[in-house]
C-alpha cells in the first residue's frame, strides 16, 4: 500500500475490500487534518477600582471558572457603597476643624442618599441649634444616621429636610434618598452636608462620636469614582483603641 494519505474518493466495491473501504470512508471528514483543541476564553483586566485599590493598568489574563454561577453572590462580598451626595456640582476637603469629618459642599436641595444598605439609627427633624448653647448636641440641625450592614455608622447633617418615612428602625438600601442638603444647625448659612463615620455606641446620645472619628475623604474619593473602599476596618480599629468615650474630645 502506498504511503500517501488515503483520499475520500469512493472505491470500486470489490467484495474483499468492502469492510476496509467502509472503515476508511468513516474518517473522510478529518483525514489528514489534526483535531483542534477547544480554544480558551480569557477575561481582560478590569478597570473598576474595588475595596479602595486603584484600577490595574495591566493584568495577566486568567481563564474563567468552569461552571460560573452568576446568581450566587460570593461569600464575604463587600456591600455596595455610593457617594452620599449624587450631584453634578459637589466639592469637599480632606480635612475638617477640631475632629475627623468632611463637609461636602453642594447646592441646597441636592439629595443626600444612603451610602450602603442598613438600618436608620437616629433622625432629627427639628433644628434645635442655638448659638448661645449648649455647643455640640444640636450643631447638626436636621440629620440622619444610618448603621450600615458593614457595622459602620454613616452620619449626614445640616439637612434642609428629612424625607417622610425615614425613621429610626427603617431599612434602607444603598442610593435611597434620606433627605436634602441644607444649612440647618451651625452650617453658618452655607449649603453643605456634614458627613461622619463612626462606630455605634449604644446607651447614650453620643453626638461627639456620631459626628465622626475617622477621616472620610479617602473613602469619598473611592465612592465618587465608583469604587467600593470600606471604612469598616478603620472604624473597628478606632473602637478597639478608644471604646466609647463618655465625653467629647475637642470642640
Amino acid at each position: 500500500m502506498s504511503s500517501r494519505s488515503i483520499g475520500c474518493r469512493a472505491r470500486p466495491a470489490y467484495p474483499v475490500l468492502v469492510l476496509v473501504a467502509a472503515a476508511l470512508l468513516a474518517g473522510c471528514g478529518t483525514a489528514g487534518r489534526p483535531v483542534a483543541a477547544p480554544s480558551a476564553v480569557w477575561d481582560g483586566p478590569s478597570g473598576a477600582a474595588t475595596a479602595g485599590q486603584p484600577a490595574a493598568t495591566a493584568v495577566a489574563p486568567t481563564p474563567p471558572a468552569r461552571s460560573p454561577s452568576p446568581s450566587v453572590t460570593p461569600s464575604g462580598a463587600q456591600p455596595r457603597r455610593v457617594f452620599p451626595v449624587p450631584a453634578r456640582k459637589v466639592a469637599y476637603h480632606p480635612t475638617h476643624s477640631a475632629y475627623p469629618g468632611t463637609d461636602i459642599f453642594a447646592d441646597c436641595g441636592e439629595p443626600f442618599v444612603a451610602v450602603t444598605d442598613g438600618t436608620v439609627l437616629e433622625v432629627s427633624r427639628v433644628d434645635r441649634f442655638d448659638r448661645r448653647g449648649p455647643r455640640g448636641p444640636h450643631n447638626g440641625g436636621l440629620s440622619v444616621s444610618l448603621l450600615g450592614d458593614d457595622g459602620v455608622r454613616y452620619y449626614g447633617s445640616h439637612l434642609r429636610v428629612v424625607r417622610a418615612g425615614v425613621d429610626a428602625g427603617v431599612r434602607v438600601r444603598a442610593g435611597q434618598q434620606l433627605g436634602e442638603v441644607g444649612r440647618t444647625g451651625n452650617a453658618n448659612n452655607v449649603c453643605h452636608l456634614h458627613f461622619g463615620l463612626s462606630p455605634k455606641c449604644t446607651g447614650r446620645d453620643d453626638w461627639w462620636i456620631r459626628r465622626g472619628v475617622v477621616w472620610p475623604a479617602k473613602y469619598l474619593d473611592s465612592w465618587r469614582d465608583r469604587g467600593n473602599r470600606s471604612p469598616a476596618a478603620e472604624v473597628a480599629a478606632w473602637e478597639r483603641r478608644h471604646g466609647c468615650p463618655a465625653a467629647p474630645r475637642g470642640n
Side-chain angles (χ1 to χ4, degrees):
M1 183 179 290
S2 170
S3 61
R4 292 177 299 172
S5 315
I6 298 175
C8 293
R9 227 174 12 191
R11 305 293 189 199
Y14 297 108
V16 180
L17 299 177
V18 168
L19 295 177
V20 176
L24 291 172
L25 287 170
C28 285
T30 58
R33 290 181 296 171
V35 178
S39 59
V41 179
W42 302 96
D43 288 333
S46 170
T50 57
Q53 300 301 317
T57 54
V59 179
T62 55
R66 285 184 174 274
S67 302
S69 180
S71 62
V72 177
T73 301
S75 59
Q78 285 285 340
R80 185 171 72 99
R81 299 176 184 85
V82 300
F83 193 78
V85 183
R88 293 185 62 186
K89 292 170 54 181
V90 64
Y92 53 95
H93 198 271
T95 61
H96 188 271
S97 62
Y99 60 90
T102 297
D103 289 332
I104 302 175
F105 297 94
D107 291 339
C108 281
E110 292 287 4
F112 163 51
V113 303
V115 170
T116 190
D117 295 356
T119 303
V120 176
L121 280 176
E122 302 108 343
V123 176
S124 169
R125 284 191 164 86
V126 179
D127 187 359
R128 295 185 173 88
F129 175 71
D130 189 333
R131 294 190 180 279
R132 297 170 296 180
R135 299 296 298 274
H138 306 306
N139 283 2
L142 275 62
S143 64
V144 177
S145 73
L146 164 72
L147 182 62
D149 291 345
D150 56 4
V152 175
R153 176 168 45 182
Y154 299 87
Y155 172 66
S157 64
H158 305 315
L159 302 177
R160 182 169 77 173
V161 66
V162 176
R163 295 204 82 181
V166 176
D167 299 301
V170 170
R171 286 284 299 174
V172 296
R173 304 298 299 271
Q176 181 176 334
Q177 187 171 352
L178 305 178
E180 297 177 5
V181 173
R183 51 190 179 191
T184 57
N186 68 343
N188 295 318
N189 207 34
V190 177
C191 295
H192 70 282
L193 176 83
H194 173 80
F195 183 73
L197 301 170
S198 67
K200 169 54 181 169
C201 290
T202 59
R204 60 171 67 91
D205 178 19
D206 56 340
W207 61 265
W208 54 92
I209 300 172
R210 183 174 60 227
R211 66 187 181 180
V213 299
V214 301
W215 295 105
K218 59 187 175 184
Y219 304 108
L220 293 169
D221 290 345
S222 172
W223 306 334
R224 194 174 186 192
D225 290 338
R226 299 180 183 275
N228 199 33
R229 190 169 188 172
S230 171
E234 187 179 2
V235 169
W238 183 93
E239 187 176 14
R240 286 194 298 271
R241 289 194 305 269
H242 301 283
C244 290
R249 298 175 179 178
N251 295 326

